[in-house]
Amino acid sequence: MAEPNVEAAPAGSAPPQGREHWSGQTAFILAAIGSAVGLGNIWRFPGQAYENGGGAFMIPYLLALLTAGIPILFLENAIGHRFRGSAPLAMRRVHRSAEGVGWFHVAICFVIGLYYTAIIAWSLSYFWFSFRLDYGDDPAQFFASQYLQLGEPGTLSAHIVPGVALPLVLVWALTIAILALGIHKGVERLNVVGIPLLVVTFGILAVRALFLPGATDGIEALFTPDYSVLTDPDVWIAAYGQVFFSLSLAYGVMITYASYRRRRSNVTGPALVVAFGNSSFSLLAGLAVFATLGYLAHVQGVGVSDLQGIDGVNLSFVTFPAVIAQMPGGQLFGAMFFASLVLAGLTSLISVMQTISAAFQDKFGWNPRTTAVAVGCVSAALSIVGFSSSTGLFLLDTVDQWSNQLGIVAGAIAMIAAALWFGRRGHELERHLAAVSTIRPGRYWPALVNVVTLLLIYMFMSKAISLAKDGYGGYPTWYIITFGWGTIAFIALVAVVMPWLRWHKDVEHPHLWPSRAQLGLPDRIGVKATERYRPVPRNDDGETP
Ligand code: PFF
């Protein structure tokens, strides 16, 4: 039975605040997995692994997961759960001057939402095309010329392609409707239905792929280790980057989602379920994708290493359609593949949009419906103009490089600096997690996060230098400055301007539970704890009575 949707405050504390809630732990886990499992698992992970040492990539990947992915997932969960707010609100409560960091995350989400929808729209079209194998004869030509009607790279075109605009409008309408229904009836329902459906659909697809002739060659190609890559710093950067993107870290998403958990919730256990669930899905996708590529190589009589287009847009919209068209029962296989992309994409997109929506709700006191319509309509208009035009693909490629490869690393560094260095919340957050969770993060957790930050700073510098020196994708300089660096400038501007606007309510005196005293900490930050820490008691279910 669904619990009432208003938080029951812990005994003897302030009255209920009326913040929306997940109906329970499972709903939260499914929603967080929904955010994590996305296009990154299906089209990014297999290609990254293949290009970065195959089986040997699992070593940096697992290390990245354990040293950065999980610790920072804990951090975001802790910030969201303790300070109970959207990214800007929670960050402001972490440190008075850190609200901008939250807006930085929100702005990145805004930018990503604009083009992530376009990819979901393409997948929706291809789902439809699969039934008649429209792309069958020449998938590369079909995608570029017939479907996207691609113009010149490095130019801007005002020509809106109706075949892209129509599904894009549909995706936006659906997104706005789900957001407007709120956390419980909208976001939660989408994930509770969508994620099991995705796992079943993709699971069937993977099993089918494993029985195709040549499948084992593909899998062998994916997993044959090349240990020599382990000395290459770029491979390590790729692994850390993949883990960040895949777990939706440093986008403010996990802060936002954790803020809708009840105060008495086990925080670390579910976070681990999310992390390992997400990686398991990546592995499953790796198997399915490479088994299918093995089949393609088999049909063409070439080696798997001779195949082109095994990553990203090309994998999904050129290479896979080529396989689907040649495979017995290809229509169904194709429909299942593109349905999986739509589902995986939609549940991630909703998390991005909810992060923006929550921020505006908190800041201005708007309700979910008004916010969904306002944020959704502005985003939809920009997204349709920018990404259903015949040069949308190039714009997407450029904006993605700067926002996703550079922006989020900066967002992660800023968040950690605000929470641990300037806000000095490491101790408090660690005790908070220990008090409410079954699995304690341990005293070394904040130290680990600090160390990882050094690596993030290195990642940021090397990416920024390479983009500044070499540009990207052969696009002209004016284009890179406008849409690449311009994107970063926009995100930074939002982060600077938004904190100047007034909050609609008093955000200075949050009701923290457990209180600092209950956590054995002095009232003022920065004063050394003298009292011995007695953990807040927990029962066997990990609940704090
Ligand atoms: N984690 C998603 C994926 O792997 O595809 C991508 C993503 C979703 C990134 C949501 C960021 C985000 F806020």
Side-chain angles (χ1 to χ4, degrees), residues 32-45 105 108-109 112 116 242-254 278 282 344-345 347-353 355 404 408:
I33 290 185
S35 175
V37 170
L39 304 171
N41 302 62
I42 298 176
W43 83 20
R44 202 160 178 263
F45 174 81
H105 293 170
I108 292 189
C109 285
I112 290 178
Y116 215 75
Q242 173 61 22
V243 163
F244 261 80
F245 180 72
S246 193
L247 282 176
S248 311
L249 294 179
Y251 294 84
V253 167
M254 293 298 172
N278 175 58
S282 289
T347 49
S348 295
L349 173 71
I350 284 293
S351 72
V352 170
M353 296 308 296
T355 300
N404 242 336
I408 65 146

Side-chain angles (χ1 to χ4, degrees), residues 136-152:
D137 299 332
D138 184 352
Q141 188 270 343
F142 180 88
F143 182 59
S145 308
Q146 246 170 292
Y147 181 60
L148 294 182
Q149 303 179 12
L150 278 189
E152 275 296 300

Side-chain angles (χ1 to χ4, degrees), residues 323-345:
V323 191
I324 289 162
Q326 298 180 26
M327 172 193 290
Q331 278 117 326
L332 187 60
F333 191 87
M336 284 168 85
F337 178 73
F338 289 109
S340 299
L341 281 185
V342 171
L343 270 176

Side-chain angles (χ1 to χ4, degrees), residues 152-504:
E152 275 296 300
T155 63
L156 281 186
S157 154
H159 169 56
I160 301 282
V161 182
V164 180
L166 185 71
L168 194 50
V169 170
L170 274 178
V171 173
W172 274 113
L174 188 63
T175 305
I176 294 172
I178 294 170
L179 283 182
L181 286 171
I183 280 295
H184 187 57
K185 291 202 188 119
V187 180
E188 177 174 323
R189 270 199 205 152
L190 169 76
N191 285 289
V192 166
V193 177
I195 290 304
L197 194 63
L198 170 66
V199 171
V200 170
T201 313
F202 203 81
I204 297 174
L205 184 126
V207 171
R208 168 75 186 108
L210 289 177
F211 284 100
L212 289 167
T216 41
D217 298 338
I219 292 171
E220 215 179 286
L222 173 61
F223 287 116
T224 306
D226 170 9
Y227 292 108
S228 66
V229 300
L230 294 182
T231 50
D232 179 357
D234 287 347
V235 170
W236 290 84
I237 290 185
Y240 277 84
Q242 173 61 22
V243 163
F244 261 80
F245 180 72
S246 193
L247 282 176
S248 311
L249 294 179
Y251 294 84
V253 167
M254 293 298 172
I255 294 181
T256 308
Y257 271 13
S259 77
Y260 296 119
R261 301 207 60 199
R262 286 169 199 284
R263 287 185 192 268
R264 302 162 191 215
S265 301
N266 181 359
V267 177
T268 53
L272 288 178
V273 175
V274 172
F276 288 113
N278 175 58
S279 293
S280 311
F281 194 93
S282 289
L283 223 57
L284 180 72
L287 287 176
V289 166
F290 271 81
T292 314
L293 292 176
Y295 171 71
L296 181 65
H298 171 83
V299 174
Q300 296 185 349
V302 297
V304 177
S305 56
D306 299 321
L307 295 175
Q308 304 280 318
I310 51 157
D311 200 359
V313 172
N314 278 326
L315 172 80
S316 299
F317 296 102
V318 178
T319 313
F320 253 66
V323 191
I324 289 162
Q326 298 180 26
M327 172 193 290
Q331 278 117 326
L332 187 60
F333 191 87
M336 284 168 85
F337 178 73
F338 289 109
S340 299
L341 281 185
V342 171
L343 270 176
L346 204 57
T347 49
S348 295
L349 173 71
I350 284 293
S351 72
V352 170
M353 296 308 296
Q354 180 62 35
T355 300
I356 308 170
S357 171
F360 281 94
Q361 290 177 44
D362 280 347
K363 182 92 184 181
F364 301 119
W366 300 346
N367 65 28
R369 197 169 303 174
T370 315
T371 322
V373 173
V375 170
C377 289
V378 172
S379 304
L382 285 172
S383 159
I384 292 165
V385 171
F387 298 102
S388 60
S389 93
S390 57
T391 46
L393 175 68
F394 310 116
L395 188 60
L396 188 156
D397 188 29
T398 310
V399 173
D400 176 65
Q401 264 302 307
W402 268 264
S403 60
N404 242 336
Q405 309 273 326
L406 198 63
I408 65 146
V409 188
I413 298 169
M415 173 181 72
I416 296 169
L420 301 188
W421 304 348
F422 299 107
R424 293 198 258 175
R425 298 282 188 177
H427 220 49
E428 179 178 345
L429 291 171
E430 182 237 313
R431 288 190 175 185
H432 178 91
L433 287 180
V436 299
S437 305
T438 40
I439 301 167
R440 298 183 184 182
R443 269 194 302 148
Y444 298 106
W445 164 67
L448 187 59
V449 175
N450 281 329
V451 174
V452 169
T453 314
L454 301 180
L455 185 88
L456 290 174
I457 293 173
Y458 172 75
M459 271 171 77
F460 177 80
M461 306 280 273
S462 76
K463 188 78 202 173
I465 291 171
S466 102
L467 286 176
K469 259 195 6 212
D470 310 331
Y472 174 70
Y475 297 115
T477 311
W478 74 267
Y479 191 83
I480 282 181
I481 291 180
T482 316
F483 298 110
W485 296 107
T487 302
I488 295 288
F490 165 76
I491 294 167
L493 189 71
V494 172
V496 172
V497 170
M498 288 306 287
W500 287 93
L501 304 183
R502 276 170 63 95
W503 288 85
H504 81 104

